[in-house]
Structures are given as structure tokens and as C-alpha cells.
Amino acid sequence: MPLVISGSTAGGRGRPAVLAAAAARGLLGGLAGAAAMTASQRLERAVTGRPASHVPGRTLLLLAGRSPGEDDRPGGATLAMVVATSAALGAVRGVWRASGLLRVRADVAQTLLRIIVDQTLENATGAGAPPRTWRSGEGFVEVVHAAVAAVATGAVVERLVEPVLESRRGTTSH
């Protein structure tokens, strides 16, 4: 059932409670996004023969204070990082939806945010390399998978959260 709010509150709840509920529902969308991205990556690798990336898992291990080697293939940590990042972005997506950032604009914003978050964490920990150093085509593939996650997340969030806090202030002057 969508989060529906009359006016700016629901049952006397204020904006913070509405946003918290939207974020919680957005988490569900993020989990759907993680599943969709994982499936798209598996399909793409089956077609292209590209090996699985374990950079997200090594990133998570580094964030947790461990020291994985370049040859480590932490499958569980990789999946955990994908799910955690997707859930967090789903929460953000729920807040965006409640606030009025909708559909394609939200898909594009989430795709970009996914790439930014992944690259920031991977490069800050030393687990990954900047996209400008990747082999030809790798960046495109990463963007496609991030977009798949964004669209799947959005499909769920758009059903669970209504844009009830969308404001009309500032539409005529800035």
C-alpha cells in the first residue's frame, strides 16, 4: 500500500516521520534494485565472458578494517556490499519520491549517485581504480548495471511511496 499523506502530515505525523517512512519503504525498492543488478551482471557476464568483479567485496573488507589481497575473491562480501549500497540508495530514493523527485529524473540521479558512491568508496579505500584507467567499454557496462538497479528500485518505490511532500514553493522565483 502506498504511503499516502493528506496535506503535509499523516495521522498527525510531521515531515520527519513521513520521510522516515518513505526511506524505510525505499529500502525495499533498494533490495529489488540489488536483485535486478545482480541478475543483469550475471546475464552480461554469461554473454560477454567478462569475469566477476570482487572490488566491491574487497572495498567492504577494507572498510571493515581487514586487508584483502588482490587475488582475494570475497563473494559473500561482494554481495553484501551490493545489497547494502542498494538498500541505502533505495532509502534515498524513497525520500526523493516523497519529496517529488520522480520517474526518469530519479532514475538518472540514482544511476549517477550509484556510480559516485561506488567509485568514491572503491578509490578512497584503494580497492579500485579510477574509471579513466579502465579497459574500453568497462565504464559503459557499469553504467548499464547501475541504471538497471535504479529502474528496478524506482519501479518498487513508485508503488510504495506517493510524492506527498512535493512542494510548489520556488516555482516562480529563486
Side-chain angles (χ1 to χ4, degrees), residues 35-89:
M37 187 166 82
T38 300
S40 75
Q41 289 170 332
R42 287 184 180 172
L43 177 63
E44 175 262 321
R45 287 193 313 265
V47 171
T48 65
R50 186 172 74 110
S53 172
H54 295 284
V55 172
R58 289 194 291 270
T59 301
L60 181 58
L61 293 176
L62 286 161
L63 289 169
R66 302 214 8 230
S67 300
E70 287 301 308
D71 293 332
D72 286 347
R73 307 273 185 258
T78 296
L79 181 59
M81 187 65 165
V82 168
V83 171
T85 303
S86 295
L89 293 176

Side-chain angles (χ1 to χ4, degrees), residues 23-24 26-31 33-34 81-93 114 153:
L27 285 169
L28 297 174
L31 296 176
M81 187 65 165
V82 168
V83 171
T85 303
S86 295
L89 293 176
V92 170
R93 185 70 182 259
R114 177 64 184 238
T153 300

Side-chain angles (χ1 to χ4, degrees), residues 88-114:
L89 293 176
V92 170
R93 185 70 182 259
V95 169
W96 287 349
R97 171 74 176 166
S99 304
L101 183 58
L102 311 174
R103 300 178 189 90
V104 173
R105 285 185 176 99
D107 290 339
V108 171
Q110 184 183 341
T111 299
L112 293 173
L113 185 57
R114 177 64 184 238

Side-chain angles (χ1 to χ4, degrees), residues 156-169:
V156 173
V157 170
E158 301 259 335
R159 285 180 171 72
L160 296 179
V161 180
E162 292 297 323
V164 295
L165 299 179
E166 183 175 303
S167 174
R168 295 288 181 226
R169 294 176 76 184

